[in-house]
Amino acid sequence: MKRRTFLSAAAGLSVSFLAGCALPVIPRRPAPSAAGAHAWIRHHEGRYALYLPRVEMGQNIATAMKQVACAELGAAWDRVNVILPATSDIGPVRATVGSESVRDFAVPLAQACATLRDALAAGRTEGHIDARPYPLEALRAFRADAGAAAGPPALVQGEAIVRGEALYVADVRRPGMVFGRVLRAPASPELAARPLGYDAAAARAEPGFVALVRDPLLRQGRSEGVGIVARTPGALDRIESALAVRWHVDGGFTQATIDAALDLAPRLARGALAKTVRRGCIDRAARWDVDLAIDVPLAAHGAIEPRAAVAEFGSDGRLQLWVGSQDVFYQRDVMARRLGLENDRIVVTGCRVGGAFGGKTICTVELEAAVLARAAARPVKVQWTRAQEFRFGFHRPPSRHRLRARLEDGRLSQWWHAFSSSHILFTNAVVPPWLQHVTDLIGDDGVARGAALPYRAAAQRTEFDLVRLPVLTGPWRGLGAGPNALAIESAIDECARAANADAVAFRIAQIEEPRLARVLQCAAAAAGWGHKPAPAADRRVGRGVACGTYKGTSHAAVVADVEVDASGRLRVTRLVCAHDCGRVINPDQVRAQCEGNLVWGLGMVIADALPVASSRVAADSFADAPIPRIGDVPPMEILLVDAGDAPSGAGETAIVAAAGAIANAVRDATGHRPTRFPVAAGDLRTLPA
Amino acid sequence: MLLNVNGVVAEIPRAWQEESLLSVLREHLGLVGTKYGCGVGVCGACTVHVGGEARRSCLTPVAACAGAPVVTIEGLAGPGGALHPVQAAWLAEAVPQCGYCQAGQIMSTVALLRRNPAPDDAAIDAALAGNLCRCGTHQRIRRAVRRAAGERP
Ligand code: FES
Ligand code: FES
C-alpha cells in the first residue's frame, strides 16, 4: 500500500485522512479509495511541508492554505514550506474548479494541522496519524482574529514570480528535450478532418527536424493530427511550412449557422424549452411590462499562458508528465487509459498555472506531448501557439436570452426567462455527440448556474435549451452565471424603471437572501448611490448597479460609473464592489479576486467575443479577440463583508454583478439598453459616423 | 555569434541562430522568466530590454541582438540578489495573481521609469497598454509603478 511506502521513505510525522470519516475531502473523481488520502501536512525536524491539495493558478490559494496551516500549527511563516505536489505525493483530489478550495479544503487542512499539532505536543514525532475531525469552533485558523495581527502575508511564490524563476509548465526543461506541435486542419475539431497529403521530404530536409508522427491518439474530437518534432521551437514553424499539409474537412459552418441554432423565437414557438430551473405558471398571453432580448457571444478565456505540457518516458516505460492543469489527477487517469499504462507507472506534476479560468480542465496538449515523446523517444515540450488556443481550445458558449416581467403595485409579479446556450460541464470538447444525447437528459448545471432569479416574484419560469454547436464550448469563469446574471440584472433594471423606482430600493424590497441585500446596501452606501456623478458638457455620464449570489453561498453587489462620448466611446470610470464570501482568511487576496472579477465583468461588456468564419473560430491573436487593457480599467474599491458565516468561494463571485452594473450604467448614461455584447460604439453614438 | 545577456556573454550555436530571442533565452539559455504569450508582439509577456529599450523578444530575431546587451527579468536584481525597486514594489503591492504576465509588466515598467521617473496615470497606462493581464491585476500594477517611482501608491 502506498501509505507504507511513504512512511518508510520519510522519517517524520505526517497526517492523512481515513476514507469514510465525515470530511469533504473525498474526491468525486476519481472514486474514493482507502489509499486515496495521503498526507497534505508533514513534519520533519521542526519544519513542515504542506503538499498543496489544490492547483495554484493565481487565486493564491497556496498563500491562503499556508495561512491556515501556520495558524493551526502555531508555526512561524518560514517554518512551513509549500510544495506543489505530483500525483505520487498525495492521494487523489478533485479538480480545482468552482471556487471550492477554501470552502472544501481549508477546513480539512486545518483539522490535519490541529491533529499534527496535538500529536507533537504529546511528544510524538514519528509515524503516521489519521486526521481527527475537530469541529469548526475548535479550529484556530478560522477565528476572527486568526491572521489579523500579522497583516497580509507574503504571497507564496511571489518573489519567485518577480525574479522570473521557473514555476510554470513551459519552464520545465529536461536533458535532451525537443519541441513538438500537432498540426490540424484549420477547422473546428467538431468537423471530421484528415490530411490528404504533405511533403514529408521537404520537412525532413529542414534543419532541426526530429520526427514526423502519425498516431491515431493525436486525433482531437474529429480532427486528425499530424505531429512534428524539432530540436528548437523556431524550427517547428519552418517544418510546418515545409510540410504544407493539405486537408480534407467534412462539412462547414459560419456564424449564421450558430445564430440559427440558438435562435429562441422558433424554439419558444414550439412550446416549452427542454430544461427548467423554475417551473411556475405564467400568463403568456397578457401584455408584459418588460420584454428584453439579450445576446452574449462566444468568448475565449484568454489566459496569457497558452496550454503546455512536457512529457518524458523513462527507459522502463514510465511516464513523467508536467502539466499546467486544473485537474492533475484527471491528466494521470487520461494518460493511463489512452496510453494503456498502469496508474503507478505515471507521475504527473502540477505546476503553477498561468491563468486557467475553467479552460484548463480537460486533456489536450498533455496527450499530444506524451504521444510525441513516446514516438520520438525523447522528452518533448508542447506549448500551443496563441492561434491554436483559439482554434482548438473550448470557449464560453454563446447564449441568447429573452426576459419578460410583469409588475403589480411596483413589485415583480411574473417573471419569464428563456434562454438557449451550449454545453459547459458536458462540454463537446470531451463528450461525443452520441453520449451528449444521454447527458442532455440530465441537463447541464453549468449552463443553468446563476439562472434562478434572486428576487421574489409570485410566478417565475426559467427554462433553457441546450444546443450542441459546431464550435467547442465549455467551462469559463463562473460558467453560466456571468451571462445569466448579466441578462437578469439588465431586465431587473428595466423593471425598476418601469416601476418608476430607484434601482437599489427596488431590488432590496424583493431580494430573497438577506446577505445579498446587505452587500447591495453596503455597495450603494460606499458608492454614494444617492449622489449621481456630475453631468459633463462633452459626454454623457451614468451610474448603474447590479448584484447577485454565486453558487448559493457567496454574494456581491457592484456600482459602476461610466462616461460615453459623442462617438459612442464608452469608458468605465469607477467600480465599487461589496462582497460576502463568509469567513475570510486572506482579505487582500479576496480583494484581488474581486478586482479580477470586476475586470472580467468589464471585459464582458467592452471586449469579450470570438469571431467565427470559415468553419472555425477565426481569431489568431489577441488582436482578433481583445481583452481589457490597463487603460480600460478604472479605480476599483472593494468592501469585504465578513459576518462570520462559513467560508465560501471568491474566485468567481463578483462576475455576477460587474457586467450588469456596467450595462445598467450605460443605459443610465445614454438611454440605450445594451442588448448585444460586447457593446458596440455604433450603438451609443450620437454623432453621425 | 555572441550574445550578452544580463552581463554574461554566451556563444550561440548555429542551430539556435535562426531562432527568436525569446526562444534562445528560454530554451537555450534556460532564462525562463521571459514568457511566450502570443508570439506576434501583442501581449507583452516576452518583454526584455535590448540595448536599454523594451523589446518584444518573440519578434526579435536573436541574430539582431549580436551587438546589443540584453537584460531579462533574471538580470534586474542587484548585487547579492537584492531586488530591483520595481520588483520590490511589485511584492509590496502584492500584484501577481497567476503571475504569468508579470515579468513583462515589470520589464516595461523599468523601461518606463528610466524614460520618465515620475509618470502620471496616463503615462503608466500608455506605457503598459501593450502588456496584457487576464487576471485583472491592473489596479495593483498602477499602484506598484507609483510606489517604485517614489510616489504615494
Ligand atoms: S509573446 Fe511576445 S508579445 Fe506576446
Ligand atoms: S497575473 Fe495572470 S495574466 Fe497577469
Side-chain angles (χ1 to χ4, degrees):
Chain A
M1 194 172 140
K2 279 182 196 152
R3 184 187 289 166
R4 251 175 247 129
T5 354
F6 162 64
L7 276 176
S8 59
L13 184 58
S14 68
V15 181
S16 74
F17 292 98
L18 275 180
C21 63
L23 297 172
V25 292
I26 303 303
R28 278 179 232 131
R29 183 192 64 209
S33 70
H38 269 246
W40 297 348
I41 186 78
R42 305 174 194 185
H43 175 261
H44 186 58
E45 290 180 352
R47 299 192 60 85
Y48 301 89
L50 167 55
Y51 286 77
L52 192 70
R54 306 278 68 207
V55 169
E56 178 56 73
M57 49 195 180
Q59 78 285 44
N60 283 318
I61 190 65
T63 308
M65 295 295 251
K66 182 172 172 177
Q67 283 177 268
V68 167
C70 287
E72 205 58 51
L73 291 164
W77 191 248
D78 61 358
R79 292 268 125 190
V80 178
N81 188 24
V82 179
I83 295 164
L84 272 47
T87 48
S88 50
D89 293 326
I90 61 169
V93 287
R94 64 175 186 252
T96 303
V97 295
S99 304
E100 297 167 344
S101 292
V102 167
R103 194 193 73 193
D104 291 352
F105 286 78
V107 173
L109 173 66
Q111 289 166 328
C113 291
T115 307
L116 180 58
R117 177 195 67 216
D118 291 352
L120 288 168
R124 193 162 165 207
T125 56
E126 296 244 331
H128 171 90
I129 39 175
D130 293 314
R132 291 173 47 198
Y134 291 80
L136 197 59
E137 317 78 68
L139 295 170
R140 301 174 186 177
F142 302 102
R143 291 186 191 152
D145 57 353
L155 293 180
V156 171
Q157 297 189 330
E159 188 169 333
I161 289 169
V162 304
R163 287 187 186 275
E165 290 172 14
L167 292 171
Y168 306 88
V169 55
D171 300 347
V172 171
R173 297 163 74 240
R174 304 294 301 167
M177 186 179 79
V178 290
F179 303 88
R181 182 178 296 166
V182 176
L183 311 177
R184 302 186 189 285
S188 166
E190 272 288 275
L191 302 184
R194 60 189 159 81
L196 290 173
Y198 43 72
D199 190 344
R204 289 205 169 85
E206 279 297 324
F209 175 90
V210 173
L212 180 64
V213 182
R214 298 303 315 277
D215 187 317
L217 286 177
L218 292 180
R219 208 172 81 142
Q220 184 200 354
R222 303 174 71 202
S223 169
E224 283 181 29
V226 176
I228 55 176
V229 182
R231 235 166 248 123
T232 60
L236 289 171
D237 296 334
R238 298 188 287 272
I239 292 165
E240 177 174 350
S241 311
L243 195 61
V245 186
R246 287 169 289 114
W247 300 96
H248 172 79
V249 179
D250 269 354
F253 62 89
T254 63
Q255 179 64 45
T257 318
I258 293 174
D259 293 342
L262 290 175
D263 192 2
L264 267 177
R267 293 177 177 278
L268 287 168
R270 284 198 293 270
L273 304 186
K275 302 288 159 204
T276 33
V277 178
R278 296 265 167 96
R279 50 181 77 241
C281 197
I282 44 155
D283 176 0
R284 290 164 197 246
R287 202 184 72 68
W288 295 94
D289 294 305
V290 168
D291 186 345
L292 199 59
I294 300 274
D295 289 0
V296 184
L298 187 75
H301 301 86
I304 308 298
E305 177 198 50
R307 291 162 181 83
V310 175
E312 176 172 358
F313 282 87
S315 49
D316 56 358
R318 284 169 191 272
L319 169 63
Q320 265 189 290
L321 184 70
W322 289 264
V323 300
S325 169
Q326 292 176 250
D327 198 346
V328 178
F329 283 91
Y330 178 66
Q331 299 293 348
R332 184 194 64 182
D333 295 348
V334 174
M335 292 302 137
R337 172 101 62 85
R338 305 298 297 276
L339 300 171
L341 288 170
E342 297 296 324
N343 269 353
D344 61 4
R345 295 176 67 76
I346 305 168
V347 175
V348 183
T349 302
C351 304
R352 187 183 184 92
V353 181
F357 314 113
K360 292 172 181 168
T361 41
I362 68 169
C363 179
T364 51
V365 69
E366 297 83 2
L367 187 62
E368 294 180 355
V371 169
L372 297 184
R374 189 170 66 177
R378 302 265 221 108
V380 170
K381 179 185 292 183
V382 179
Q383 182 158 39
W384 274 7
T385 64
R386 182 55 56 183
Q388 286 179 301
E389 281 281 309
F390 291 126
R391 280 187 202 176
F392 305 122
F394 63 79
H395 308 290
R396 178 188 74 189
S399 53
R400 300 289 148 83
H401 305 254
R402 179 92 182 264
L403 304 107
R404 285 171 270 202
R406 219 168 264 134
L407 304 170
E408 238 174 73
D409 302 328
R411 299 282 184 100
L412 280 171
S413 69
Q414 301 218 329
W415 172 263
W416 183 15
H417 178 187
F419 62 102
S420 58
S421 186
S422 192
H423 302 82
I424 293 182
L425 294 181
F426 295 115
T427 162
N428 58 352
V430 172
V431 177
W434 63 268
L435 187 58
Q436 200 122 62
H437 295 304
V438 182
T439 68
D440 278 354
L441 299 176
I442 305 165
D444 192 316
D445 281 349
V447 179
R449 187 169 290 172
L453 185 70
Y455 304 99
R456 282 183 288 272
Q460 300 183 22
R461 183 167 179 82
T462 299
E463 58 186 335
F464 66 96
D465 266 357
L466 283 168
V467 192
R468 188 175 175 114
L469 295 176
V471 288
L472 300 183
T473 63
W476 189 90
R477 196 172 203 170
L479 310 189
N484 289 336
L486 171 56
I488 291 171
E489 285 297 292
S490 297
I492 288 295
D493 207 63
E494 289 303 323
C495 290
R497 285 172 189 280
N500 236 331
D502 172 78
V504 170
F506 182 80
R507 284 172 170 82
I508 287 186
Q510 300 172 83
I511 281 177
E512 301 254 15
E513 163 63 52
R515 287 171 69 189
L516 180 57
R518 184 169 60 196
V519 289
L520 178 54
Q521 269 153 341
C522 183
W529 177 255
H531 315 278
K532 289 291 166 82
D538 55 342
R539 54 197 187 270
R540 295 159 284 169
V541 297
R543 173 171 284 178
V545 67
C547 63
T549 294
Y550 188 64
K551 291 180 84 177
T553 49
S554 296
H555 313 275
V558 173
V559 175
D561 289 351
V562 303
E563 296 178 354
V564 183
D565 71 14
S567 72
R569 207 181 99 83
L570 163 65
R571 231 166 58 81
V572 179
T573 54
R574 182 189 185 208
L575 291 169
V576 177
C577 171
H579 187 271
D580 176 358
C581 60
R583 173 60 81 230
V584 171
I585 294 169
N586 187 325
D588 183 62
Q589 286 306 303
V590 169
R591 279 201 187 88
Q593 286 303 298
C594 292
E595 290 163 19
N597 275 287
L598 293 179
V599 176
W600 273 61
L602 171 69
M604 286 175 67
V605 178
I606 68 167
D608 290 335
L610 276 172
V612 169
S614 316
S615 308
R616 64 181 176 96
V617 172
D620 288 330
S621 90
F622 285 116
D624 310 314
I627 60 173
R629 291 171 190 272
I630 190 166
D632 299 321
V633 177
M636 300 180 278
E637 291 156 57
I638 317 290
L639 299 112
L640 301 184
V641 176
D642 178 351
D645 293 282
S648 54
E652 302 159 297
T653 302
I655 203 168
V656 302
I662 296 168
N664 293 339
V666 170
R667 166 73 162 94
D668 185 50
T670 64
H672 170 80
R673 164 57 58 191
T675 56
R676 276 175 308 165
F677 293 90
V679 173
D683 291 344
L684 308 181
R685 197 191 307 273
T686 49
L687 286 177
Chain B
M1 72 169 277
L2 297 177
L3 187 69
N4 178 332
V5 183
N6 301 332
V8 178
V9 177
E11 167 75 40
I12 304 303
R14 194 170 206 87
W16 289 89
Q17 290 178 9
E18 301 272 290
E19 296 286 304
S20 66
L21 176 59
L22 175 64
S23 149
V24 170
L25 290 172
R26 288 184 55 79
E27 304 295 353
H28 179 60
L29 299 174
L31 295 168
V32 293
T34 308
K35 300 299 189 220
Y36 169 88
C38 71
V40 295
V42 297
C43 79
C46 66
T47 307
V48 298
H49 298 171
V50 180
E53 302 270 338
R55 284 276 193 82
R56 304 289 186 247
S57 62
C58 68
L59 289 183
T60 309
V62 70
C65 303
V70 175
V71 176
T72 70
I73 186 82
E74 292 91 342
L76 280 189
L83 289 176
H84 185 282
V86 173
Q87 291 172 310
W90 243 249
L91 290 182
E93 295 297 337
V95 175
Q97 287 190 35
C98 83
Y100 196 83
C101 72
Q102 299 297 344
Q105 309 278 4
I106 290 171
M107 295 311 286
S108 291
T109 300
V110 172
L112 162 69
L113 294 179
R114 208 174 277 152
R115 285 196 313 273
N116 177 358
D120 58 13
D121 278 359
I124 295 172
D125 289 358
L128 297 178
N131 285 89
L132 301 181
C133 173
R134 186 51 161 165
C135 294
T137 64
H138 312 85
Q139 169 152 299
R140 289 168 188 243
I141 289 174
R142 261 191 226 121
R143 269 201 235 131
V145 177
R146 289 194 290 259
R147 177 185 282 269
E151 295 160 32
R152 218 157 44 99

